[in-house]
Amino acid sequence: MKILVINGPNINMLGLREPEIYGSESYADLLAFIQKAAAGLGAEVAFFQSNSEGAIVDAIQAAYGKVDGIVINPAAYTHTSIAIPDALKAVAIPAVEVHISDVSAREPYRRISYTQEACVKTIAGEGFEGYLTAIKFLTDAKL
Ligand code: DQA
């Protein structure tokens, strides 16, 4: 199974960025963790990260016909973007939304997710493990 893992703005700053919320491990550490875990599940993963909404939309569109599942942490765009869920609906690739932190226990504006309705599942508050939970869900699911 081919899975595209998309990360949105500031996820490339992991390790430096609010470590009390996101931990001390870097974006490179995250990719290494996902790569290793995915191999154990027999999944082939590709990665994309951008700080730009349009680039994320382009990556989702480019995935059409090429991947079987998407794991997406849209980061702050979760709470603002209509274009990202529209792109996910357009390609109709099963997608799982992931958040490293527990967005439901933070500022009220983080409780709104426009991405959620375009995803088959949302995982939040599991740290890096959440990406693994998402990949497991996609590999287990008969979607
Ligand atoms: C995040 C939560 C978002 O609210 C925030 O804007 C992020 C990261 C998370 O992974 O916990 O950048 O998506």
Side-chain angles (χ1 to χ4, degrees), residues 9-11 17 22 73-76 78-79 98-103 106 110 131:
N10 301 305
I11 300 298
R17 144 180 218 217
Y22 299 110
N73 181 350
T78 306
H79 321 297
V98 173
H99 299 287
I100 295 166
S101 66
D102 181 3
V103 279
R106 297 180 60 193
R110 293 189 204 274
Y131 291 85

Side-chain angles (χ1 to χ4, degrees), residues 2 5 7 13 32 35 39 44-47 51 59-60 63 68 70 84 99 101 111-112 116-117 123-124 129 131 138:
K2 286 188 189 167
V5 180
N7 279 290
M13 298 295 279
Q35 189 81 63
E44 190 186 316
V45 281
F47 298 106
N51 296 323
I60 294 167
D68 308 300
I70 291 177
I84 290 172
H99 299 287
S101 66
R111 291 182 204 141
I112 297 159
Q116 190 162 21
E117 65 170 38
I123 294 152
E129 283 288 329
Y131 291 85
L138 287 169

Side-chain angles (χ1 to χ4, degrees), residues 3 32-45 47 132 135 139:
I3 296 174
F33 169 77
I34 297 172
Q35 189 81 63
K36 195 172 167 203
L41 292 167
E44 190 186 316
V45 281
F47 298 106
L132 176 52
I135 292 169
T139 54

Side-chain angles (χ1 to χ4, degrees), residues 46-122:
F47 298 106
F48 180 79
Q49 189 277 329
S50 178
N51 296 323
S52 305
E53 183 178 16
I56 294 170
V57 169
D58 288 342
I60 294 167
Q61 291 183 5
Y64 181 72
K66 299 206 179 80
V67 305
D68 308 300
I70 291 177
V71 172
I72 183 163
N73 181 350
Y77 290 136
T78 306
H79 321 297
T80 62
S81 175
I82 309 291
I84 290 172
D86 277 356
L88 290 170
K89 287 179 197 169
V91 297
I93 299 168
V96 178
E97 175 187 14
V98 173
H99 299 287
I100 295 166
S101 66
D102 181 3
V103 279
S104 69
R106 297 180 60 193
E107 301 91 330
Y109 57 81
R110 293 189 204 274
R111 291 182 204 141
I112 297 159
S113 168
Y114 292 110
T115 313
Q116 190 162 21
E117 65 170 38
C119 292
V120 292
K121 193 175 173 64
T122 296

